[in-house]
């Protein structure tokens, strides 16, 4: 005796029937409708034929014991700790009972009901589609991000799906003929940085919590620029008040104008990022303001999708190295988590080695690494052109150390002159990168020179923000206006009289030089 088990999944993206096989299970997907924007969503039916199990199970194809069809779910748990302590994602909580970091833990047994081929095919089918919300690079992996959120609660600007740029000329000319170098341009995003990937998740969850009548009036963050830009934009899209704590005179005007334009309540403070972070944590413990900094592990769930996206763009082949600039250090762990989930769920068979690159003026992780991971000591960060990573007491230090230890990782640093020269060298090959990308490229150069990274190693450098946010730094460099810096790749404009002979003379000299 058999029956038709009807399971309704609003999140299924396919518009044509497909048969997917997990280890012992066969599922025939028969969508009842194509997809529409979120306010027109209709359901999709999955038909699973089996012999008389209860409605919460499916039967294996070899007629053995029925296998429970577990729902996808996630919860907060203490980071890197064996304990029964856990919290719903609908709770407003940032630390464990012992004061440690929290992590979002997914029900891996539920996800493992489907094999790696299923997940690869599902994720690939959603790329760039104008179907709410799966065209987003983040929400195309919704089951691995916030599986229980309703599509109507999601606040998305179709973030992600960023360019993986083949840096062929840069590799050949600057790195001894390196021929498999790629730059992941996460700055080609809605607000110009990778922070959009995490903020869509956090603001979506806040939107859900407010609809549940949780005591939240707004969302707040301390920022070195990019976090505030992302928070203010997504809150504006959701109609949620945003509050931003910024260190006075320590971020670019291009970064400052973003939260102002998006209607955030901006407080400019006579302190550094670490001082702003201390204050926002104190304030959010007293007022109904949701904390949006990376102490909140929700953002990392969005940021990890950049790692999955890199694998997709390489047709699910794993690169040898991924190099990531590091400041507050949540991103290095997010990338590790994305790669590790892909390995554990059978999409790939290994993870890449990770490199965290820090500015020498804000290098506590580098010093900890060089000491053999002995006791971590915060530093007083000094001014760096890589202002978004000018952080001396990173919140996610434990996460970063865990990720690096478990990926056979390395930490490198870059001086101000090194990072600015490398940024200029990259720009001269067709890119337009931020100073933080310059930090990562310096790390790559040093590892190439030492022979750690090979000429043919497939290497991805993560570019975290758009170069347009740092146009003043580029202007100062090419004007040779930076005190104490040689600016060896400076390319200032040539002043010439508006006369035929004068222009011909200048151009003749230039052409003889470059020919």
């Amino acid at each position: 005796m058999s029956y038709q088990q009807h399971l309704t999944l609003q999140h299924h993206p396919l518009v044509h029937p497909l048969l997917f096989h997990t280890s012992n299970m066969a599922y025939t997907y028969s969508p009842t409708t194509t997809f529409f924007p979120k306010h027109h969503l209709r359901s999709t039916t999955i038909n699973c034929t089996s012999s008389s199990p209860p409605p919460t199970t499916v039967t294996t194809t070899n007629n053995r014991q029925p296998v429970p069809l577990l729902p996808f779910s996630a919860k907060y748990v203490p980071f890197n700790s064996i304990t029964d302590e856990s919290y719903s994602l609908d709770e407003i909580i940032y630390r464990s009972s012992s004061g440690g970091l929290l992590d979002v833990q997914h029900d891996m047994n539920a996800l493992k009901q489907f094999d790696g081929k299923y997940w690869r095919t599902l994720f690939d089918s959603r790329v760039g589609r104008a179907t709410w919300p799966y065209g987003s690079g983040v929400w195309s992996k919704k089951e691995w991000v916030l599986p229980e959120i309703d599509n109507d609660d999601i606040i998305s600007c179709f973030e992600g799906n960023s360019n993986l740029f083949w840096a062929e000329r840069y590799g050949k000319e600057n790195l001894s003929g390196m021929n498999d170098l790629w730059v992941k341009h996460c700055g080609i995003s809605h607000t110009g940085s990778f922070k959009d990937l995490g903020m869509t998740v956090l603001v979506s969850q806040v939107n859900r919590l407010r609809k549940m009548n949780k005591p939240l009036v707004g969302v707040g963050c301390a920022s070195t620029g990019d976090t505030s830009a992302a928070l203010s934009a997504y809150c504006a899209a959701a109609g949620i008040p945003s509050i931003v704590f910024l260190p006075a005179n320590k971020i670019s005007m291009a970064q400052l104008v973003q939260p102002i334009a998006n209607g955030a309540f901006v407080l400019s403070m006579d302190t550094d990022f670490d001082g702003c972070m201390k204050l926002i944590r104190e304030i959010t413990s007293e007022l109904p303001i949701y904390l949006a900094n990376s102490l909140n592990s929700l953002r990392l769930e969005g940021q990890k999708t950049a790692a999955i996206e890199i694998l997709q763009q390489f047709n699910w082949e794993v690169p040898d190295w991924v190099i990531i600039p590091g400041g507050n250090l949540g991103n290095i762990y997010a990338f590790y988590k994305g790669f590790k989930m892909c390995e554990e769920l059978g999409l790939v068979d290994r993870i890449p080695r990770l490199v965290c690159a820090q500015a020498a003026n804000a290098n506590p992780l580098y010093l900890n690494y060089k000491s053999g991971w002995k006791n971590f000591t915060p530093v007083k960060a000094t001014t760096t052109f890589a202002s978004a990573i000018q952080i001396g007491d990173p919140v996610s230090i434990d996460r970063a150390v865990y990720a690096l230890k478990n990926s056979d990782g390395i930490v490198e640093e870059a001086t101000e002159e090194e990072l600015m020269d490398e940024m200029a060298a990259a720009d001269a090959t067709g890119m337009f990168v931020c100073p933080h990308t310059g930090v990562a490229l310096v790390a790559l150069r040093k590892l190439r020179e030492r022979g750690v990274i090979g000429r043919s190693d497939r290497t991805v450098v993560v570019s975290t923000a758009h170069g347009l946010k740092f146009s003043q730094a580029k202007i100062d460099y090419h004007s040779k206006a930076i005190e104490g810096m040689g600016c060896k790749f400076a390319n200032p404009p040539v002043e010439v009289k508006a006369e035929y002979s004068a222009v011909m003379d200048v151009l003749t000299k230039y052409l003889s030089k470059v020919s």
Side-chain angles (χ1 to χ4, degrees), residues 71-75 89 142 145-150 153 208:
F72 302 137
S73 63
K75 60 186 178 182
L89 297 188
K142 180 186 175 185
V145 177
L146 281 186
E148 296 169 282
I149 194 169
D150 190 278
D153 295 337
R208 168 184 167 92

Side-chain angles (χ1 to χ4, degrees), residues 1-6 48-53 59 63:
M1 181 178 179
S2 65
Y3 76 105
Q4 285 286 316
Q5 180 185 16
H6 297 285
C48 303
T49 302
S50 61
S51 54
S52 300
T59 302
N63 291 320

Side-chain angles (χ1 to χ4, degrees), residues 321-333 353-359 362-367 369 373 389 394 396-397 400-401 403-404 407-414 436 439-444 447 460:
W321 298 88
V322 176
I323 304 174
I324 306 162
N328 221 16
L329 301 180
N331 213 25
I332 189 79
Y333 176 68
R353 293 185 69 182
L354 300 181
V355 178
C356 187
Q358 291 207 293
N363 63 350
L365 181 66
Y366 174 76
L367 297 175
Y369 170 76
W373 300 120
I389 58 175
S396 293
I397 178 63
V401 171
L404 290 161
S407 64
D408 193 17
I410 297 172
V411 186
E412 258 298 345
E413 68 172 354
H436 317 83
V439 174
L441 291 170
V442 170
L444 170 59
L447 293 173
V460 178

Side-chain angles (χ1 to χ4, degrees), residues 4-68:
Q4 285 286 316
Q5 180 185 16
H6 297 285
L7 300 174
T8 299
L9 296 181
Q10 286 189 339
H11 58 261
H12 193 271
L14 302 179
V15 294
H16 57 279
L18 282 177
L19 180 67
F20 291 102
H21 294 276
T22 64
S23 55
N24 285 317
M25 294 178 282
Y27 298 85
T28 302
Y29 290 80
S30 304
T32 59
T33 180
T34 54
F35 275 76
F36 300 91
K38 59 180 180 178
H39 53 283
H40 292 302
L41 276 175
R42 296 170 61 189
S43 64
T44 298
T45 300
I46 298 178
N47 298 321
C48 303
T49 302
S50 61
S51 54
S52 300
T56 56
T57 66
V58 294
T59 302
T60 59
T61 54
N62 56 11
N63 291 320
R64 293 178 183 172
Q65 184 69 26
V67 180

Side-chain angles (χ1 to χ4, degrees), residues 171-379:
K172 287 181 177 179
E173 295 184 4
N174 295 278
L175 297 166
S176 303
M178 196 172 186
N179 58 10
D180 205 356
L181 173 63
W182 304 78
V183 176
K184 178 63 170 168
H185 281 296
C186 293
I188 302 177
S189 188
H190 183 65
T191 71
S193 88
F194 79 96
K195 299 294 179 72
D196 294 345
L197 304 177
M199 209 57 74
T200 180
V201 177
L202 183 140
V203 174
S204 294
Q205 180 64 9
V206 171
N207 193 39
R208 168 184 167 92
L209 295 177
R210 281 164 58 93
K211 289 182 180 180
M212 297 169 66
N213 296 318
K214 297 283 185 175
L216 292 173
V217 175
V219 188
C221 75
S223 180
T224 52
D226 292 332
T227 300
S228 63
L231 174 66
S232 57
Y234 282 83
C235 280
I240 299 172
S242 58
I243 300 97
V244 172
F245 290 12
L246 293 176
N249 305 316
K250 290 183 173 66
I251 69 170
S252 73
M253 288 303 297
Q255 290 172 302
L256 176 61
V257 75
Q258 288 182 277
I260 291 173
N262 286 135
F265 186 63
V266 179
L267 302 180
S268 180
M269 300 183 172
D270 186 20
T271 184
D272 58 11
F273 170 81
D274 297 314
C276 289
M277 187 66 209
K278 180 176 181 295
L279 282 166
I280 193 70
R281 287 168 64 177
E282 293 171 349
I283 294 298
T284 53
S285 68
E286 298 292 334
L287 295 177
I289 299 171
Y290 194 78
L291 179 63
N293 284 95
S294 56
L295 173 64
N296 188 317
S297 52
L298 282 176
R299 278 176 44 195
L300 305 185
E301 294 305 292
Q303 290 167 214
K304 78 184 180 190
T305 62
I308 305 168
E309 196 170 284
I310 287 170
L311 297 175
Q312 280 186 281
Q313 290 170 311
F314 284 134
N315 198 26
W316 301 103
E317 294 180 359
V318 182
D320 298 302
W321 298 88
V322 176
I323 304 174
I324 306 162
N328 221 16
L329 301 180
N331 213 25
I332 189 79
Y333 176 68
F335 270 79
Y336 169 79
K337 190 173 185 180
F339 288 128
K340 194 64 180 176
M341 283 189 74
C342 287
E343 181 188 36
E344 290 182 2
L345 292 170
L347 285 74
V348 296
D349 59 5
R350 65 184 179 91
I351 67 172
R353 293 185 69 182
L354 300 181
V355 178
C356 187
Q358 291 207 293
N361 286 0
N363 63 350
L365 181 66
Y366 174 76
L367 297 175
N368 187 226
Y369 170 76
K370 295 297 286 185
S371 72
W373 300 120
K374 294 178 182 177
N375 292 335
F376 171 77
T377 304
V379 301

Side-chain angles (χ1 to χ4, degrees), residues 435-472:
H436 317 83
T437 309
V439 174
L441 291 170
V442 170
L444 170 59
R445 178 186 290 276
K446 290 180 177 180
L447 293 173
R448 278 287 295 123
E449 290 172 349
R450 298 205 303 265
V452 177
I453 294 180
R455 177 181 177 275
S456 299
D457 287 357
R458 175 167 284 180
T459 303
V460 178
V461 171
V462 176
S463 180
T464 52
H466 201 292
L468 286 171
K469 288 193 173 193
F470 301 90
S471 54
Q472 189 59 52

